[in-house]
Amino acid sequence: QVQLVESGGGLVQPGGSLKLTCTASGSTSNSYAVAWFRQAPGKDREFVAAIRWPNGATYYGDSLKGRFTMTRDNAKKQVYLQLNSLNPEDTAVYYCARQSNPIASTIRATYRYDYWGQGTQVTVSS
């Protein structure tokens, strides 16, 4: 069983930055991926970024790379999502999720993730 807990969300002005943290606990397999998704009111859940173990390969949603950066700290069992140059369209609940034995072709697929955190709210507003 895996537990994921997100933190770091909040209210930020347009153009500002936030750093989200996802902390994992419980058993893990040797090959897995942790991803960030987001969901705005009335919209589908959207893939944001993912990172794979053990090779550290990263993937980003279309148009997000360059503003968002995902990193990890193996010792702390944490992944991070640095959000820069935020705009009101980035307002959403951001979720952390994990899948086992990932393959590149489905790294962005919501259905492949079997563990989810409770989400953290990011609001971009002046």
Side-chain angles (χ1 to χ4, degrees):
Q1 195 75 353
V2 174
Q3 293 80 42
L4 302 170
V5 179
E6 304 94 336
S7 60
L11 174 64
V12 62
Q13 292 187 341
S17 298
L18 278 176
K19 186 175 184 179
L20 307 182
T21 300
C22 174
T23 303
S25 61
S27 62
T28 58
S29 59
N30 291 330
S31 175
Y32 60 96
V34 177
W36 289 96
F37 289 82
R38 67 182 183 181
Q39 189 165 20
K43 295 189 177 180
D44 293 335
R45 195 162 293 189
E46 176 188 16
F47 173 80
V48 175
I51 191 165
R52 291 176 67 171
W53 269 261
N55 64 11
T58 54
Y59 306 80
Y60 292 91
D62 294 342
S63 77
L64 296 178
K65 188 175 183 180
R67 294 195 300 125
F68 294 181
T69 304
M70 187 171 182
T71 56
R72 65 181 183 179
D73 185 324
N74 293 336
K76 293 183 178 180
K77 292 188 177 182
Q78 290 180 330
V79 297
Y80 311 100
L81 185 67
Q82 179 68 43
L83 314 175
N84 295 328
S85 302
L86 287 163
N87 59 65
E89 290 69 40
D90 296 315
T91 295
V93 178
Y94 285 70
Y95 297 92
C96 178
R98 201 206 81 156
Q99 66 164 285
S100 298
N101 303 312
I103 56 176
S105 62
T106 57
I107 203 76
R108 295 171 176 82
T110 307
Y111 72 88
R112 286 282 288 117
Y113 290 84
D114 44 11
Y115 295 102
W116 292 82
Q118 82 288 351
T120 186
Q121 176 71 47
V122 172
T123 302
V124 184
S125 176
S126 55

